[in-house]
Amino acid sequence: METWDVIVVGAGVCGLTIARNLQERGRAVLLLDKGSRPGGRLASRPLGGRLLNPSVDTVHSHDAEVTSEITRRTGARFVPDTEGYAKWMFDEPAGDIAKRWAGGTTLRRFFVTHLAVQDSGLIHVVPRGSGEPFGGRAVVLTAPVPQNLQMLRGSGIAVAPGLLEAAYDRRAVLLCIVDGADDVVNDVVGRSAPDGVIETIRVRHRDDAGQVWLEVIASPLWSEATWDADATFSQAELLAELIRLLPGVRVLDSALKRWRYANAVVPADSGSDATFFRSADQPGIFVAGDGFGRLHGHPSGISRAVRSGLDVARALA
């Protein structure tokens, strides 16, 4: 079994921040992610033979250490914005930025089911199905807080009450390819009633054959009401509403995304400034990410995730 100083579960910007900083301090760090590409919300997603970049294209922060870290890893150019914030508007695809951010890390595609703490203190990170676990002297979970709670509970690890406070603006999003959409000419091409199924439809790409890649954003009410429903039925309902709004289009391929578009609106342990959680029972287990820290000063989830990652790396150095 491979053994590492630190295993980071999740290769979003928090995980990448932890890995890059600890590697520079001489630690052996393994990044694990169930996806095929790094970056979390920044990662490109394959659909219909093309990599579709997400709609995330701006980061706001008034934390100088965060903006310096992002600039150092990506070459970002922050400019002054209102109320003391700095703003970075991407000038290249988000997937390319994520790939550069991950440069030099050791990243494996790996679906983690649970953790198993050994008598020696070594933490086994166990995969779904067959396969040998990885061993880590410390493990950091960086998925959205509710997903991390499930993993902690499934691993028999006590959950601190403060973690239960985290709340997210849940948003279901359908990525799809259509043809027959020649009349779709604006970035926002359709909008249903505020209490309906679809809030906004955005064009993400067009090709010369007349195919259009769309990002279909469900309304907050519908997203919340169907969050725990079977994904197949939710996807079918969004597709039916899309066809109603854009009669004549033909859907060629589609994929439903949920947590990728969720944004923390109440942080974990909201009564404090904590930017990560460390298990009292198992001090080698950490939970980090954009679900921690003060929302004021970090309106962007990316900014909060980087702040959390910097602090975890400092604690583990």
Side-chain angles (χ1 to χ4, degrees):
M1 180 180 66
E2 293 183 37
T3 301
W4 300 76
D5 292 331
V6 180
I7 296 176
V8 181
V9 180
V13 296
C14 179
L16 295 176
T17 298
I18 295 167
R20 294 292 299 270
N21 279 272
L22 287 177
Q23 283 181 330
E24 289 175 352
R25 292 174 169 91
R27 307 296 294 275
V29 184
L30 175 64
L31 270 169
L32 301 176
D33 198 284
K34 64 182 179 181
S36 59
R37 292 170 179 81
R41 294 178 185 176
L42 297 184
S44 302
R45 291 293 188 270
L47 188 67
R50 182 178 181 84
L51 289 179
L52 185 66
N53 283 290
S55 59
V56 177
D57 60 4
T58 308
V59 177
H60 287 85
S61 181
H62 71 17
D63 186 325
E65 188 180 10
V66 166
T67 58
S68 175
E69 173 70 13
I70 295 174
T71 298
R72 188 160 68 105
R73 303 302 180 193
T74 70
R77 292 186 294 273
F78 281 88
V79 298
D81 200 18
T82 58
E83 300 180 1
Y85 286 100
K87 179 175 70 172
W88 171 37
M89 294 190 67
F90 300 173
D91 56 4
E92 61 181 312
D96 293 345
I97 293 170
K99 186 176 179 180
R100 186 161 61 251
W101 206 328
T105 62
T106 302
L107 174 61
R108 308 273 180 86
R109 190 172 187 180
F110 192 89
F111 193 110
V112 178
T113 60
H114 65 281
L115 310 177
V117 182
Q118 307 303 299
D119 291 340
S120 65
L122 192 69
I123 304 164
H124 288 187
V125 181
V126 183
R128 180 173 65 181
S130 61
E132 188 176 27
F134 292 105
R137 297 178 182 86
V139 172
V140 189
L141 307 177
T142 67
V145 174
Q147 293 181 323
N148 289 329
L149 287 175
Q150 290 181 347
M151 186 174 298
L152 291 174
R153 288 170 174 148
S155 305
I157 297 168
V159 172
L163 290 179
L164 303 175
E165 298 175 13
Y168 286 74
D169 173 20
R170 298 174 171 183
R171 194 60 66 96
V173 175
L174 182 74
L175 305 178
C176 62
I177 308 170
V178 301
D179 65 8
D182 294 338
D183 57 337
V184 179
V185 295
N186 299 315
D187 282 348
V188 179
V189 299
R191 185 181 295 269
S192 57
D195 59 349
V197 175
I198 293 175
E199 181 180 78
T200 305
I201 304 170
R202 296 192 180 117
V203 174
R204 303 305 300 165
H205 177 71
R206 298 174 185 270
D207 69 11
D208 296 337
Q211 294 181 355
V212 182
W213 278 250
L214 298 177
E215 188 177 48
V216 181
I217 302 174
S219 70
L221 287 175
W222 186 88
S223 296
E224 185 69 33
T226 62
W227 195 255
D228 295 320
D230 185 278
T232 302
F233 293 106
S234 297
Q235 184 170 342
E237 188 171 351
L238 281 172
L239 286 169
E241 181 69 2
L242 174 68
I243 292 169
R244 185 188 71 80
L245 288 171
L246 301 176
V249 304
R250 184 167 65 98
V251 178
L252 305 177
D253 197 3
S254 65
L256 181 68
K257 302 296 178 182
R258 282 174 167 157
W259 279 113
R260 181 182 183 183
Y261 288 81
N263 189 47
V265 292
V266 178
D269 201 7
S270 57
S272 75
D273 291 324
T275 57
F276 63 89
F277 162 77
R278 187 173 193 174
S279 171
D281 298 332
Q282 303 294 340
I285 296 176
F286 295 73
V287 179
D290 67 353
F292 292 87
R294 293 289 185 184
L295 300 186
H296 176 69
H298 296 280
S300 162
I302 292 175
S303 176
R304 292 193 304 276
V306 172
R307 177 73 272 163
S308 179
L310 288 169
D311 291 344
V312 170
R314 193 170 288 120
L316 284 168

